Amino acid sequence: MTQDTVRALPDYAQFVQNFDPKQIEAQFSGSFEHGINACVEVCDRHADSGRIALRWVGADGSYQEYSFAELKALSARFANLLTRLGVKPGDRVSAMLPRIPEMMVVLLGTLRAGAVYQPLFTAFGPKAIDYRVSSSAAKLIVTDSNNRPKLDDSAQWPQIITIDRKGQGVPEGDIDFQSALDAESDEFEPVMSKGDDPFLMLFTSGTTGLPKGVAVPNMALSAFYVYMRYAIDLREDDVFWNIADPGWAYGLYYSALGPLLLGQTTLFHDAPFSVAGTAALIRQYGVTNLAGAPTAYRMMMAAPKEEVAPIKGRLRVVNSAGEPLNPEVIRWFRDEIGCPVYDQYGQTELGMVVCNHHALSHAVHPGSAGFAMPGYTAVVLDDHHQILPPGKPGTLALDRSRSPLFFFQGYWQKDTPSFVGPYYLTGDTVELNEDGSISFVGRDSDLITSAGYRIGPFDVESALIEHPAVAETAVIGKPDAERTEIVKAFVVLKPGYSPGDELIESMQQLVRSRLAAHAYPREIEFVAELPKTPSGKIQRFLLRKQEADKQA
């Protein structure tokens, strides 16, 4: 018998009707109008609780834990270091760090100093790193020894701080993180700012053009709180683990910040995902509340039964985000693991906004992303931006005029065409169900979702075109049972080059090294020409249809 069978949950409809965002803000130490600091809200106000804030498990099984009080002191040291280096409130600090304790210190210290934390996914190559650092005008880069070589190719970087966990020393000109931290005071008065002021900066890959910057304001803390409390259903007696990487929005929002915002412990595991490793950590640390992407869950479903059998009955709830959750996975978790897994939808720009809520009572339909999160009003629009009734596919949109928790303010130094009147258009095609829930249909865009990562085809094409053999290329997402989609590239070769396995490998390696390890094309097909409109635009939808027809 699960805990949910003996605990009465609030009715979703009634809860939404009575929802007051001011009651969420009232739980914080500061206020969006008069002054707030994100580090205070996720760390300082819990420092006297005596609770552990971070449990860290290394790839070799090593273990460290940090209390809220310890993170408060360490964040003050890093904030003092930033101030000494000339970083001012509002400046961006880039961090290319794995899931190590120092990553949390850098994050919280940056927020404490009133600066803006910008994550760089550790699989990024120099091209992806350079674009994000230069676009954000970051004043500082923090990285570790393993990732430091990616910064060797350019002399244009800002000051670099290197974390040397192996004792090998840092490159000449870099600042040694630990030595510098040890020299600073553990007292630093948090810098206060307003609700509209940013505290995070992320880049999201679009379907055309280069990645777009998203400055996340302090007011997003209320939305983070609501998601963690009512969708994730993080309870005081839970052991929570979000396996997503904090280099991406879901991991940063809801692994590094969300649990701490509620005064709860978060778990970092600095190792690649594996079914056996995940099962071992769930057992060893008594994880009861798990969050991640469907790809991980499908891998668990495909693993030998003996690898997952030991965790049956141990998890209370599981949460899924990043791509639609397959009904088969839902049934498998119910039958084989003995707990519910709920689908939830969001974007880097929005945070999570349509959810199946573990802490609220409502109907849950396999294949449905659920209901609008309290504080949001979701609608389905036709091509003329008129609201559609149930059963009619259209574009999922958020009504900003009726969504008090909506925090996206537009792309960094760019136009935001997704703002149309009072609506924000997500670019995803959905259907409204009769009971008000929303089911995912497909994507209007060319964006590729692979193993939980959102990949812009333009980025991959830009990397491929650097190859001396490539004349033209088009990249699409090809349907895949395990990853949802894989990246597939169609390539037109320059004269003098012939197709072959060695050529494919060299192109794949180029994308791995220049862009990101997860973004390389797993399939490359050589073609004589690409389908185009009369104006010369590549028609990727025809290539996607071609692949779907082949599989059918």
Side-chain angles (χ1 to χ4, degrees), residues 463-493:
L464 277 172
I465 208 71
E466 295 182 18
H467 194 284
V470 176
E472 280 189 305
T473 183
V475 170
I476 65 164
K478 176 182 175 180
D480 181 77
E482 180 176 308
R483 297 174 176 270
T484 301
E485 294 176 318
I486 61 169
V487 178
K488 177 167 182 176
F490 295 85
V491 172
V492 178
L493 293 175

Side-chain angles (χ1 to χ4, degrees), residues 44-334:
D44 291 23
R45 68 190 181 100
H46 309 299
D48 295 333
S49 68
R51 291 181 66 95
I52 297 300
L54 173 65
R55 287 191 176 96
W56 175 77
V57 182
D60 60 355
S62 53
Y63 177 82
Q64 291 176 274
E65 61 182 36
Y66 296 78
S67 67
F68 282 98
E70 288 172 319
L71 288 183
K72 177 183 176 182
L74 289 169
S75 71
R77 289 180 179 273
F78 189 72
N80 278 309
L81 174 59
L82 291 180
T83 301
R84 184 167 61 80
L85 294 175
V87 174
K88 298 179 174 58
D91 286 345
R92 273 71 63 197
V93 174
S94 295
M96 182 168 54
L97 295 170
R99 284 165 283 201
I100 54 177
E102 291 87 346
M103 180 251 135
M104 189 68 84
V105 173
V106 171
L107 167 62
L108 297 180
T110 299
L111 305 185
R112 190 175 199 84
V116 178
Y117 180 85
Q118 180 200 352
L120 297 169
F121 186 41
T122 53
F124 283 155
K127 185 180 180 70
I129 297 167
D130 178 66
Y131 175 76
R132 287 160 175 79
V133 170
S134 60
S135 296
S136 69
K139 294 295 181 67
L140 190 71
I141 301 177
V142 187
T143 189
D144 67 332
S145 299
N146 290 337
N147 289 282
R148 178 59 178 83
K150 297 176 184 177
L151 305 178
D152 288 343
D153 293 341
S154 173
Q156 305 304 314
W157 305 114
Q159 177 67 64
I160 298 172
I161 297 177
T162 297
I163 298 167
D164 178 26
R165 291 182 65 87
K166 298 180 180 179
Q168 298 173 337
V170 304
E172 184 178 355
D174 287 11
I175 296 172
D176 180 271
F177 175 85
Q178 193 59 55
S179 298
L181 209 66
D182 291 343
E184 300 294 343
S185 166
D186 58 8
E187 295 290 336
F188 185 97
E189 188 66 23
V191 175
M192 310 303 282
S193 55
K194 298 295 182 65
D196 288 338
D197 294 327
F199 72 111
L200 304 173
M201 166 76 78
L202 296 91
F203 280 78
T204 179
S205 295
T207 59
T208 58
L210 292 165
K212 299 177 287 293
V214 176
V216 181
N218 288 311
M219 66 179 70
L221 292 170
S222 289
F224 293 177
Y225 183 98
V226 171
Y227 175 69
M228 294 300 303
R229 175 66 185 85
Y230 297 104
I232 290 281
D233 188 21
L234 183 56
R235 303 179 184 178
E236 188 171 349
D237 57 352
D238 269 332
V239 176
F240 178 68
W241 183 21
N242 181 346
I243 61 178
D245 193 299
W248 296 97
Y250 192 68
L252 180 59
Y253 296 170
Y254 308 116
S255 170
L257 293 172
L260 273 60
L261 187 62
L262 272 62
Q264 299 292 95
T265 306
T266 194
L267 174 67
F268 277 7
H269 184 212
D270 185 26
F273 176 84
S274 72
V275 174
T278 298
L281 257 69
I282 290 172
R283 291 191 64 196
Q284 183 173 358
Y285 296 101
V287 174
T288 59
N289 194 323
L290 183 70
T295 297
Y297 302 146
R298 287 195 292 267
M299 291 175 68
M300 293 173 69
M301 188 170 64
K305 283 193 174 184
E306 57 268 23
E307 287 193 12
V308 294
I311 66 173
K312 185 170 185 177
R314 294 178 177 270
L315 293 168
R316 182 177 67 84
V317 293
V318 179
N319 301 272
S320 179
E323 56 193 68
L325 187 64
N326 306 98
E328 309 89 82
V329 178
I330 297 172
R331 290 192 290 269
W332 183 83
F333 264 87
R334 180 194 64 204

Side-chain angles (χ1 to χ4, degrees), residues 443-447 475-479 485 490 539-549:
R443 286 189 161 79
D444 288 337
S445 67
D446 295 320
L447 196 66
V475 170
I476 65 164
K478 176 182 175 180
E485 294 176 318
F490 295 85
Q539 296 174 304
R540 294 181 184 84
F541 75 94
L542 293 178
L543 297 172
R544 289 197 299 270
K545 182 178 184 303
Q546 169 187 307
E547 292 303 310
D549 289 345

